[in-house]
Each structure stands twice: as structure tokens, then as C-alpha cells.
Amino acid sequence: MKKVLIAFALALVASGAMAQDKVVRKARALKDEIQNLVALPQRDAKQEAELKAKLAECFEMIAPTFTSPETKKELANAWDIKANLHMYAFNPLLNDVIAKVPTDTAALAENIFASLDAIEECYKATQALGLKGEKDPYTLQNKLKVLQFRPYVAYCGQMFFQNQQHSKAVDAFKRWMKYPETYTILGTDAAALAEDESTPQMAYYTCLAAYFAKDYATLNEFIGKAREYTEEKDQVNQLYLTSIIEQGDTVTWLKAAKEVVIADPAANDGIAQNILAYYFNKGDFKGAQGLADEILTADAESRLGNYAKGLVFMNDHKYKEAIPFFVKATETDPTFSDAFYNAGVCWSNEGYEINESLSGKKMTTAQFNAAIQPVKDAYKAAEPFFLKVKELEPENTHKWATRLRTVYYILGDKAKEAEMAKLVGE
């Protein structure tokens, strides 16, 4: 009796598998009817309704197939049907995009992604079933579809980004980036896709969407490739560094920012200034000097490298050592007002310190006149730098007029001193 029951149970299993495979074949026939409707050049309202109804019927019919252990020989067939059904669903939406008609972006993306995933599952099923050559009617055609659909994935990402649906944009762009490894059906063609010339640009879009979505894990995953996108190099670097700061990792930011600056000092002036501000705010003059030296090693003509070196000496009260670096910065950039200003300040401070050193000393008039001359010489050397600031920033009166007033006071030019005093309202 037990043998009879076991045999009966096995027969039921076989019957169930045959029944499920029969459902798949029935779904294939229905899918072919749908394909005929899709192929019509034009469809009337009745045919549109029929197409919609048959799509829904076929989706419902085939749904249990993928979770049923009874599906055996027709599993690859089932996945191929599903891939085609989703393709039929997204094609009219894609046509709307081409025709610039308002489109359901979510539905378009959902069906494109579902079609691609079904194709991949179909391929895995063919491998499991050992289908090859003529016995595999799916892989060759489906592989071409996967290659064809990749631009659609990128387009979905762009549409989501434009609609400020940043998380969905991230998902789409990530799918594009991981295309070669996700869709194993591509086989040897995957390597070529992995080295696609547009990959750095797409990595940038992925990171940009991830930044707005605050998805730092994704941003960190793809920022390396994004930094190869040279056409938006400055924007990529800013994105890279800003995201590090927002993650609260100052140590990594400092290291990364220095690497960016040293790689191209001229193009990353603003980033270098941020690093200098960081060092000076912390009183880390050694760090500031190290940055200046590294920049000047990379580019001896760097306006910011020379300016930074000047600031380091200036903050250390080594005014004469600072002046040549400020001057060098102005030679590189004749519009660098702050460098002119600081050179003038250094000369003024040099004169002030000489003057302070004379305080309390007993001297004859002749000795005093001789001793005070270096003070006047220093302030006289400062004058052309402040005059240049006046030329570059005529509206910023207080910046240069106050300094020039002091210069003219020391030089004894009362007329010019009064002129400057009037400009600053004194």
C-alpha cells in the first residue's frame, strides 16, 4: 500500500508540473496575440481595450509560474514572456517621450527595469536547464535587447532627476553603472560596457543624485569613477569635498582637498583658500606652510601658493620675508588686490616695528633723523601697493584710504593725509 501511495504522490507532482508548464505554453499563445496587436500600425479604441485586457490577463496568468516549484521545463519560457509583456507596456510610454508628450515616468522605468530583470532570469533559467544552440531560442535576441535598453535606463535616471525624485534617480543611475555585472547574459560584451567612454559622466550623475538624496554610501561608491569626468572636473571636486564635509569627516576632507589642489593648483584656488582658512583658524601655521610649499613645488608660479607662503611669514611677523611672495603673486595675477594689500601692510608693519624700537632712546636731532629714515622708507615702499588696491577697488574706500592716510602722516604729506581723512569721514 505504501508503494502505491508514493507512486500516486509522484504522479501528482508530475501532473502538477505538466499543468504549470501547460499554463506557460498557454501564456505564450496569448503573448503572441498581444504581439500581433502591438504590431498594428494603428489601433482603434476597441483594439486598444483588447490589448490592455490581454496584457493584464497574461500578467495574471503567468504570475504563479515564478514561485511555483511545479514549473520545470518552461521556466525560461515564462521569464521570456514576462520580459516581452513589460516591453509591450513600456514601448508606448517611450514613444510618448520621443514625441515630447507628458509621460508616466514611474511606469516607464518600472516596466523597463522589470523587462531587463526578467531577461536576466530567463538567461539563468536557460543555464540551469542546459539549453544551448537551437534549443535556446531566447538568449541571442534577449542579449540584443539588454544592449538596446541601457540608454533607456539612463534616460529614466535623467527624468527622475529633473523631477527632483533623487532617490529614484539614484536607483536608475546605479542600475546603469552596474549594468555589466548585473546582466550576466551580456557575457564577453560586459567588459566593453564596463569601459564605456560615458561611464565617468554617468558616475558623476549618479553621485550628484546621491548627494541630493543624502545617499552617501552610493556617492562614496562611485565618486572615484566620477572624478575621471574631466569636462566637469571642478564641479566633481566640489561635490566630492562637500559630501565629505557633510559626513563630518574633517580628516578625510583635508587629505582629499590637498590632493585636489596639488593636482592642479591654478584650477582649485578656492579649495586651497578653504584649506588655508582651516589651518589659520586653528593656528596651525606649520600646516599652512606645508600646504604653501607643496603648491609651490607643484607650480612655482602659483598665485595662491606664493600668497599662502606670504601669509605664513606675515603671521609669523617676518614681514620682509613675506613681501617677495606677495609680489610674486601679483606678478602672476596683476588683479590680485589682497596680495597688493598685504604687501603694503607688511611694509607698513616693518616701518612700525622700526619706529617702536626707537621709543625711549635718547638721540640728538641728527641721530633721530637718521634713525627715522628707515621708517619713512618702509612706509614709502608701502604706498604704491595701497595705490594699486585703490585702482583695483576704488569703491572700497576704507580698505586703502585708512592705510594711505597713515603713510602720508609718516611721510609728512599733510595735503594727501587730509584728502584720505576726508574720504574715510574723519
PDB file of all heavy atoms in Angstrom, residues 193-223:
ATOM      1  N   LEU A 193      31.227  47.225 -22.096  1.00  0.00           N
ATOM      2  CA  LEU A 193      30.315  48.181 -21.465  1.00  0.00           C
ATOM      3  C   LEU A 193      30.939  48.788 -20.211  1.00  0.00           C
ATOM      4  O   LEU A 193      30.710  49.957 -19.896  1.00  0.00           O
ATOM      5  CB  LEU A 193      28.999  47.494 -21.096  1.00  0.00           C
ATOM      6  CG  LEU A 193      28.060  47.156 -22.250  1.00  0.00           C
ATOM      7  CD1 LEU A 193      26.809  46.481 -21.717  1.00  0.00           C
ATOM      8  CD2 LEU A 193      27.678  48.397 -23.037  1.00  0.00           C
ATOM      9  N   ALA A 194      31.713  47.997 -19.518  1.00  0.00           N
ATOM     10  CA  ALA A 194      32.337  48.489 -18.289  1.00  0.00           C
ATOM     11  C   ALA A 194      33.314  49.617 -18.582  1.00  0.00           C
ATOM     12  O   ALA A 194      33.544  50.491 -17.747  1.00  0.00           O
ATOM     13  CB  ALA A 194      33.058  47.350 -17.570  1.00  0.00           C
ATOM     14  N   GLU A 195      33.887  49.615 -19.780  1.00  0.00           N
ATOM     15  CA  GLU A 195      34.844  50.644 -20.167  1.00  0.00           C
ATOM     16  C   GLU A 195      34.210  51.674 -21.094  1.00  0.00           C
ATOM     17  O   GLU A 195      34.909  52.384 -21.808  1.00  0.00           O
ATOM     18  CB  GLU A 195      36.053  49.987 -20.854  1.00  0.00           C
ATOM     19  CG  GLU A 195      36.835  49.049 -19.960  1.00  0.00           C
ATOM     20  CD  GLU A 195      37.357  49.743 -18.713  1.00  0.00           C
ATOM     21  OE1 GLU A 195      37.801  50.908 -18.830  1.00  0.00           O
ATOM     22  OE2 GLU A 195      37.302  49.140 -17.635  1.00  0.00           O
ATOM     23  N   ASP A 196      32.890  51.766 -21.100  1.00  0.00           N
ATOM     24  CA  ASP A 196      32.182  52.740 -21.928  1.00  0.00           C
ATOM     25  C   ASP A 196      32.716  54.143 -21.642  1.00  0.00           C
ATOM     26  O   ASP A 196      32.905  54.531 -20.489  1.00  0.00           O
ATOM     27  CB  ASP A 196      30.685  52.673 -21.610  1.00  0.00           C
ATOM     28  CG  ASP A 196      29.848  53.482 -22.586  1.00  0.00           C
ATOM     29  OD1 ASP A 196      30.029  54.712 -22.598  1.00  0.00           O
ATOM     30  OD2 ASP A 196      29.034  52.910 -23.307  1.00  0.00           O
ATOM     31  N   GLU A 197      32.947  54.937 -22.703  1.00  0.00           N
ATOM     32  CA  GLU A 197      33.534  56.265 -22.530  1.00  0.00           C
ATOM     33  C   GLU A 197      32.632  57.215 -21.742  1.00  0.00           C
ATOM     34  O   GLU A 197      33.095  58.221 -21.198  1.00  0.00           O
ATOM     35  CB  GLU A 197      33.853  56.876 -23.896  1.00  0.00           C
ATOM     36  CG  GLU A 197      32.638  57.085 -24.786  1.00  0.00           C
ATOM     37  CD  GLU A 197      32.992  57.658 -26.140  1.00  0.00           C
ATOM     38  OE1 GLU A 197      34.197  57.715 -26.464  1.00  0.00           O
ATOM     39  OE2 GLU A 197      32.074  58.045 -26.874  1.00  0.00           O
ATOM     40  N   SER A 198      31.352  56.902 -21.695  1.00  0.00           N
ATOM     41  CA  SER A 198      30.431  57.762 -20.957  1.00  0.00           C
ATOM     42  C   SER A 198      30.329  57.381 -19.473  1.00  0.00           C
ATOM     43  O   SER A 198      29.615  58.031 -18.716  1.00  0.00           O
ATOM     44  CB  SER A 198      29.033  57.719 -21.588  1.00  0.00           C
ATOM     45  OG  SER A 198      28.496  56.411 -21.550  1.00  0.00           O
ATOM     46  N   THR A 199      31.034  56.344 -19.065  1.00  0.00           N
ATOM     47  CA  THR A 199      30.930  55.873 -17.676  1.00  0.00           C
ATOM     48  C   THR A 199      31.308  56.942 -16.646  1.00  0.00           C
ATOM     49  O   THR A 199      30.576  57.123 -15.663  1.00  0.00           O
ATOM     50  CB  THR A 199      31.775  54.599 -17.480  1.00  0.00           C
ATOM     51  OG1 THR A 199      31.295  53.580 -18.358  1.00  0.00           O
ATOM     52  CG2 THR A 199      31.675  54.097 -16.052  1.00  0.00           C
ATOM     53  N   PRO A 200      32.418  57.679 -16.816  1.00  0.00           N
ATOM     54  CA  PRO A 200      32.723  58.726 -15.821  1.00  0.00           C
ATOM     55  C   PRO A 200      31.619  59.784 -15.715  1.00  0.00           C
ATOM     56  O   PRO A 200      31.298  60.240 -14.612  1.00  0.00           O
ATOM     57  CB  PRO A 200      34.030  59.332 -16.349  1.00  0.00           C
ATOM     58  CG  PRO A 200      34.663  58.232 -17.129  1.00  0.00           C
ATOM     59  CD  PRO A 200      33.514  57.524 -17.787  1.00  0.00           C
ATOM     60  N   GLN A 201      31.030  60.160 -16.854  1.00  0.00           N
ATOM     61  CA  GLN A 201      29.948  61.148 -16.828  1.00  0.00           C
ATOM     62  C   GLN A 201      28.735  60.599 -16.084  1.00  0.00           C
ATOM     63  O   GLN A 201      28.122  61.296 -15.262  1.00  0.00           O
ATOM     64  CB  GLN A 201      29.546  61.536 -18.250  1.00  0.00           C
ATOM     65  CG  GLN A 201      28.459  62.599 -18.305  1.00  0.00           C
ATOM     66  CD  GLN A 201      28.105  62.990 -19.727  1.00  0.00           C
ATOM     67  OE1 GLN A 201      28.551  62.370 -20.694  1.00  0.00           O
ATOM     68  NE2 GLN A 201      27.315  64.031 -19.881  1.00  0.00           N
ATOM     69  N   MET A 202      28.389  59.341 -16.339  1.00  0.00           N
ATOM     70  CA  MET A 202      27.253  58.733 -15.663  1.00  0.00           C
ATOM     71  C   MET A 202      27.544  58.556 -14.167  1.00  0.00           C
ATOM     72  O   MET A 202      26.639  58.673 -13.332  1.00  0.00           O
ATOM     73  CB  MET A 202      26.919  57.390 -16.302  1.00  0.00           C
ATOM     74  CG  MET A 202      26.335  57.499 -17.710  1.00  0.00           C
ATOM     75  SD  MET A 202      24.791  58.457 -17.754  1.00  0.00           S
ATOM     76  CE  MET A 202      23.763  57.468 -16.694  1.00  0.00           C
ATOM     77  N   ALA A 203      28.799  58.305 -13.843  1.00  0.00           N
ATOM     78  CA  ALA A 203      29.174  58.212 -12.425  1.00  0.00           C
ATOM     79  C   ALA A 203      28.963  59.560 -11.744  1.00  0.00           C
ATOM     80  O   ALA A 203      28.507  59.621 -10.585  1.00  0.00           O
ATOM     81  CB  ALA A 203      30.632  57.771 -12.299  1.00  0.00           C
ATOM     82  N   TYR A 204      29.272  60.632 -12.457  1.00  0.00           N
ATOM     83  CA  TYR A 204      29.044  61.986 -11.915  1.00  0.00           C
ATOM     84  C   TYR A 204      27.561  62.217 -11.662  1.00  0.00           C
ATOM     85  O   TYR A 204      27.173  62.718 -10.604  1.00  0.00           O
ATOM     86  CB  TYR A 204      29.600  63.020 -12.888  1.00  0.00           C
ATOM     87  CG  TYR A 204      29.193  64.448 -12.585  1.00  0.00           C
ATOM     88  CD1 TYR A 204      29.438  65.017 -11.338  1.00  0.00           C
ATOM     89  CD2 TYR A 204      28.564  65.233 -13.551  1.00  0.00           C
ATOM     90  CE1 TYR A 204      29.067  66.330 -11.057  1.00  0.00           C
ATOM     91  CE2 TYR A 204      28.197  66.538 -13.278  1.00  0.00           C
ATOM     92  CZ  TYR A 204      28.448  67.082 -12.036  1.00  0.00           C
ATOM     93  OH  TYR A 204      28.074  68.377 -11.762  1.00  0.00           O
ATOM     94  N   TYR A 205      26.719  61.845 -12.638  1.00  0.00           N
ATOM     95  CA  TYR A 205      25.274  61.999 -12.456  1.00  0.00           C
ATOM     96  C   TYR A 205      24.780  61.166 -11.265  1.00  0.00           C
ATOM     97  O   TYR A 205      23.917  61.595 -10.496  1.00  0.00           O
ATOM     98  CB  TYR A 205      24.523  61.573 -13.724  1.00  0.00           C
ATOM     99  CG  TYR A 205      24.754  62.460 -14.917  1.00  0.00           C
ATOM    100  CD1 TYR A 205      24.585  61.964 -16.209  1.00  0.00           C
ATOM    101  CD2 TYR A 205      25.141  63.786 -14.779  1.00  0.00           C
ATOM    102  CE1 TYR A 205      24.787  62.777 -17.328  1.00  0.00           C
ATOM    103  CE2 TYR A 205      25.355  64.598 -15.873  1.00  0.00           C
ATOM    104  CZ  TYR A 205      25.179  64.086 -17.150  1.00  0.00           C
ATOM    105  OH  TYR A 205      25.393  64.893 -18.247  1.00  0.00           O
ATOM    106  N   THR A 206      25.335  59.975 -11.139  1.00  0.00           N
ATOM    107  CA  THR A 206      24.960  59.104 -10.017  1.00  0.00           C
ATOM    108  C   THR A 206      25.301  59.761  -8.691  1.00  0.00           C
ATOM    109  O   THR A 206      24.488  59.799  -7.756  1.00  0.00           O
ATOM    110  CB  THR A 206      25.683  57.747 -10.122  1.00  0.00           C
ATOM    111  OG1 THR A 206      25.442  57.161 -11.405  1.00  0.00           O
ATOM    112  CG2 THR A 206      25.208  56.788  -9.038  1.00  0.00           C
ATOM    113  N   CYS A 207      26.510  60.308  -8.610  1.00  0.00           N
ATOM    114  CA  CYS A 207      26.961  60.945  -7.370  1.00  0.00           C
ATOM    115  C   CYS A 207      26.168  62.218  -7.089  1.00  0.00           C
ATOM    116  O   CYS A 207      25.858  62.518  -5.924  1.00  0.00           O
ATOM    117  CB  CYS A 207      28.450  61.262  -7.458  1.00  0.00           C
ATOM    118  SG  CYS A 207      29.492  59.791  -7.454  1.00  0.00           S
ATOM    119  N   LEU A 208      25.836  62.960  -8.136  1.00  0.00           N
ATOM    120  CA  LEU A 208      25.075  64.194  -7.955  1.00  0.00           C
ATOM    121  C   LEU A 208      23.685  63.872  -7.403  1.00  0.00           C
ATOM    122  O   LEU A 208      23.218  64.516  -6.450  1.00  0.00           O
ATOM    123  CB  LEU A 208      24.962  64.934  -9.287  1.00  0.00           C
ATOM    124  CG  LEU A 208      24.452  66.377  -9.235  1.00  0.00           C
ATOM    125  CD1 LEU A 208      25.367  67.241  -8.378  1.00  0.00           C
ATOM    126  CD2 LEU A 208      24.352  66.953 -10.649  1.00  0.00           C
ATOM    127  N   ALA A 209      23.043  62.869  -7.989  1.00  0.00           N
ATOM    128  CA  ALA A 209      21.725  62.452  -7.491  1.00  0.00           C
ATOM    129  C   ALA A 209      21.842  61.924  -6.067  1.00  0.00           C
ATOM    130  O   ALA A 209      20.999  62.212  -5.202  1.00  0.00           O
ATOM    131  CB  ALA A 209      21.137  61.380  -8.409  1.00  0.00           C
ATOM    132  N   ALA A 210      22.898  61.160  -5.801  1.00  0.00           N
ATOM    133  CA  ALA A 210      23.107  60.601  -4.459  1.00  0.00           C
ATOM    134  C   ALA A 210      23.341  61.715  -3.436  1.00  0.00           C
ATOM    135  O   ALA A 210      22.880  61.622  -2.291  1.00  0.00           O
ATOM    136  CB  ALA A 210      24.291  59.644  -4.464  1.00  0.00           C
ATOM    137  N   TYR A 211      24.028  62.763  -3.858  1.00  0.00           N
ATOM    138  CA  TYR A 211      24.273  63.888  -2.941  1.00  0.00           C
ATOM    139  C   TYR A 211      22.951  64.528  -2.528  1.00  0.00           C
ATOM    140  O   TYR A 211      22.715  64.773  -1.347  1.00  0.00           O
ATOM    141  CB  TYR A 211      25.171  64.926  -3.615  1.00  0.00           C
ATOM    142  CG  TYR A 211      25.324  66.194  -2.796  1.00  0.00           C
ATOM    143  CD1 TYR A 211      26.157  66.220  -1.686  1.00  0.00           C
ATOM    144  CD2 TYR A 211      24.610  67.342  -3.125  1.00  0.00           C
ATOM    145  CE1 TYR A 211      26.285  67.378  -0.920  1.00  0.00           C
ATOM    146  CE2 TYR A 211      24.722  68.494  -2.372  1.00  0.00           C
ATOM    147  CZ  TYR A 211      25.563  68.510  -1.270  1.00  0.00           C
ATOM    148  OH  TYR A 211      25.672  69.648  -0.510  1.00  0.00           O
ATOM    149  N   PHE A 212      22.081  64.799  -3.495  1.00  0.00           N
ATOM    150  CA  PHE A 212      20.804  65.423  -3.177  1.00  0.00           C
ATOM    151  C   PHE A 212      19.906  64.477  -2.379  1.00  0.00           C
ATOM    152  O   PHE A 212      19.071  64.927  -1.591  1.00  0.00           O
ATOM    153  CB  PHE A 212      20.096  65.880  -4.453  1.00  0.00           C
ATOM    154  CG  PHE A 212      20.687  67.128  -5.050  1.00  0.00           C
ATOM    155  CD1 PHE A 212      21.363  67.085  -6.251  1.00  0.00           C
ATOM    156  CD2 PHE A 212      20.574  68.340  -4.402  1.00  0.00           C
ATOM    157  CE1 PHE A 212      21.920  68.229  -6.806  1.00  0.00           C
ATOM    158  CE2 PHE A 212      21.129  69.499  -4.938  1.00  0.00           C
ATOM    159  CZ  PHE A 212      21.801  69.445  -6.142  1.00  0.00           C
ATOM    160  N   ALA A 213      20.084  63.179  -2.599  1.00  0.00           N
ATOM    161  CA  ALA A 213      19.298  62.193  -1.853  1.00  0.00           C
ATOM    162  C   ALA A 213      19.922  61.877  -0.494  1.00  0.00           C
ATOM    163  O   ALA A 213      19.362  61.095   0.284  1.00  0.00           O
ATOM    164  CB  ALA A 213      19.161  60.909  -2.667  1.00  0.00           C
ATOM    165  N   LYS A 214      21.090  62.480  -0.222  1.00  0.00           N
ATOM    166  CA  LYS A 214      21.848  62.217   1.003  1.00  0.00           C
ATOM    167  C   LYS A 214      22.207  60.735   1.126  1.00  0.00           C
ATOM    168  O   LYS A 214      22.299  60.188   2.227  1.00  0.00           O
ATOM    169  CB  LYS A 214      21.087  62.690   2.250  1.00  0.00           C
ATOM    170  CG  LYS A 214      20.726  64.173   2.221  1.00  0.00           C
ATOM    171  CD  LYS A 214      21.950  65.053   2.027  1.00  0.00           C
ATOM    172  CE  LYS A 214      21.592  66.526   1.912  1.00  0.00           C
ATOM    173  NZ  LYS A 214      22.754  67.371   1.513  1.00  0.00           N
ATOM    174  N   ASP A 215      22.417  60.108  -0.028  1.00  0.00           N
ATOM    175  CA  ASP A 215      22.814  58.703  -0.081  1.00  0.00           C
ATOM    176  C   ASP A 215      24.342  58.657  -0.212  1.00  0.00           C
ATOM    177  O   ASP A 215      24.880  58.469  -1.299  1.00  0.00           O
ATOM    178  CB  ASP A 215      22.132  58.024  -1.278  1.00  0.00           C
ATOM    179  CG  ASP A 215      22.456  56.543  -1.383  1.00  0.00           C
ATOM    180  OD1 ASP A 215      23.313  56.060  -0.623  1.00  0.00           O
ATOM    181  OD2 ASP A 215      21.858  55.873  -2.255  1.00  0.00           O
ATOM    182  N   TYR A 216      25.020  58.857   0.899  1.00  0.00           N
ATOM    183  CA  TYR A 216      26.471  58.982   0.855  1.00  0.00           C
ATOM    184  C   TYR A 216      27.168  57.665   0.547  1.00  0.00           C
ATOM    185  O   TYR A 216      28.283  57.654   0.012  1.00  0.00           O
ATOM    186  CB  TYR A 216      26.983  59.564   2.172  1.00  0.00           C
ATOM    187  CG  TYR A 216      26.525  60.991   2.402  1.00  0.00           C
ATOM    188  CD1 TYR A 216      25.705  61.314   3.482  1.00  0.00           C
ATOM    189  CD2 TYR A 216      26.890  62.007   1.531  1.00  0.00           C
ATOM    190  CE1 TYR A 216      25.271  62.624   3.691  1.00  0.00           C
ATOM    191  CE2 TYR A 216      26.455  63.307   1.720  1.00  0.00           C
ATOM    192  CZ  TYR A 216      25.645  63.608   2.799  1.00  0.00           C
ATOM    193  OH  TYR A 216      25.221  64.892   2.987  1.00  0.00           O
ATOM    194  N   ALA A 217      26.526  56.560   0.868  1.00  0.00           N
ATOM    195  CA  ALA A 217      27.129  55.255   0.551  1.00  0.00           C
ATOM    196  C   ALA A 217      27.283  55.109  -0.960  1.00  0.00           C
ATOM    197  O   ALA A 217      28.332  54.672  -1.454  1.00  0.00           O
ATOM    198  CB  ALA A 217      26.258  54.136   1.111  1.00  0.00           C
ATOM    199  N   THR A 218      26.244  55.479  -1.705  1.00  0.00           N
ATOM    200  CA  THR A 218      26.316  55.412  -3.168  1.00  0.00           C
ATOM    201  C   THR A 218      27.314  56.425  -3.696  1.00  0.00           C
ATOM    202  O   THR A 218      28.100  56.136  -4.613  1.00  0.00           O
ATOM    203  CB  THR A 218      24.926  55.668  -3.782  1.00  0.00           C
ATOM    204  OG1 THR A 218      24.047  54.610  -3.397  1.00  0.00           O
ATOM    205  CG2 THR A 218      24.996  55.731  -5.301  1.00  0.00           C
ATOM    206  N   LEU A 219      27.288  57.637  -3.140  1.00  0.00           N
ATOM    207  CA  LEU A 219      28.213  58.668  -3.595  1.00  0.00           C
ATOM    208  C   LEU A 219      29.661  58.200  -3.415  1.00  0.00           C
ATOM    209  O   LEU A 219      30.483  58.324  -4.329  1.00  0.00           O
ATOM    210  CB  LEU A 219      27.961  59.964  -2.832  1.00  0.00           C
ATOM    211  CG  LEU A 219      28.640  61.220  -3.371  1.00  0.00           C
ATOM    212  CD1 LEU A 219      27.812  62.461  -3.015  1.00  0.00           C
ATOM    213  CD2 LEU A 219      30.048  61.389  -2.833  1.00  0.00           C
ATOM    214  N   ASN A 220      29.959  57.652  -2.259  1.00  0.00           N
ATOM    215  CA  ASN A 220      31.320  57.183  -1.999  1.00  0.00           C
ATOM    216  C   ASN A 220      31.708  56.019  -2.905  1.00  0.00           C
ATOM    217  O   ASN A 220      32.876  55.852  -3.251  1.00  0.00           O
ATOM    218  CB  ASN A 220      31.452  56.765  -0.536  1.00  0.00           C
ATOM    219  CG  ASN A 220      31.325  57.941   0.415  1.00  0.00           C
ATOM    220  OD1 ASN A 220      31.580  59.083   0.038  1.00  0.00           O
ATOM    221  ND2 ASN A 220      30.924  57.683   1.655  1.00  0.00           N
ATOM    222  N   GLU A 221      30.710  55.225  -3.283  1.00  0.00           N
ATOM    223  CA  GLU A 221      30.981  54.063  -4.147  1.00  0.00           C
ATOM    224  C   GLU A 221      31.429  54.489  -5.541  1.00  0.00           C
ATOM    225  O   GLU A 221      32.299  53.846  -6.141  1.00  0.00           O
ATOM    226  CB  GLU A 221      29.720  53.196  -4.244  1.00  0.00           C
ATOM    227  CG  GLU A 221      29.904  51.952  -5.095  1.00  0.00           C
ATOM    228  CD  GLU A 221      28.643  51.082  -5.161  1.00  0.00           C
ATOM    229  OE1 GLU A 221      27.623  51.453  -4.528  1.00  0.00           O
ATOM    230  OE2 GLU A 221      28.691  50.040  -5.847  1.00  0.00           O
ATOM    231  N   PHE A 222      30.856  55.575  -6.058  1.00  0.00           N
ATOM    232  CA  PHE A 222      31.095  55.929  -7.456  1.00  0.00           C
ATOM    233  C   PHE A 222      31.922  57.200  -7.657  1.00  0.00           C
ATOM    234  O   PHE A 222      32.218  57.553  -8.796  1.00  0.00           O
ATOM    235  CB  PHE A 222      29.762  56.069  -8.198  1.00  0.00           C
ATOM    236  CG  PHE A 222      28.985  54.793  -8.293  1.00  0.00           C
ATOM    237  CD1 PHE A 222      27.851  54.579  -7.513  1.00  0.00           C
ATOM    238  CD2 PHE A 222      29.401  53.782  -9.140  1.00  0.00           C
ATOM    239  CE1 PHE A 222      27.143  53.395  -7.589  1.00  0.00           C
ATOM    240  CE2 PHE A 222      28.694  52.577  -9.220  1.00  0.00           C
ATOM    241  CZ  PHE A 222      27.562  52.389  -8.445  1.00  0.00           C
ATOM    242  N   ILE A 223      32.291  57.890  -6.576  1.00  0.00           N
ATOM    243  CA  ILE A 223      32.993  59.165  -6.737  1.00  0.00           C
ATOM    244  C   ILE A 223      34.355  58.990  -7.406  1.00  0.00           C
ATOM    245  O   ILE A 223      34.824  59.877  -8.129  1.00  0.00           O
ATOM    246  CB  ILE A 223      33.143  59.892  -5.377  1.00  0.00           C
ATOM    247  CG1 ILE A 223      33.586  61.342  -5.594  1.00  0.00           C
ATOM    248  CG2 ILE A 223      34.100  59.146  -4.457  1.00  0.00           C
ATOM    249  CD1 ILE A 223      32.611  62.196  -6.333  1.00  0.00           C
TER     250      ILE A 223
END
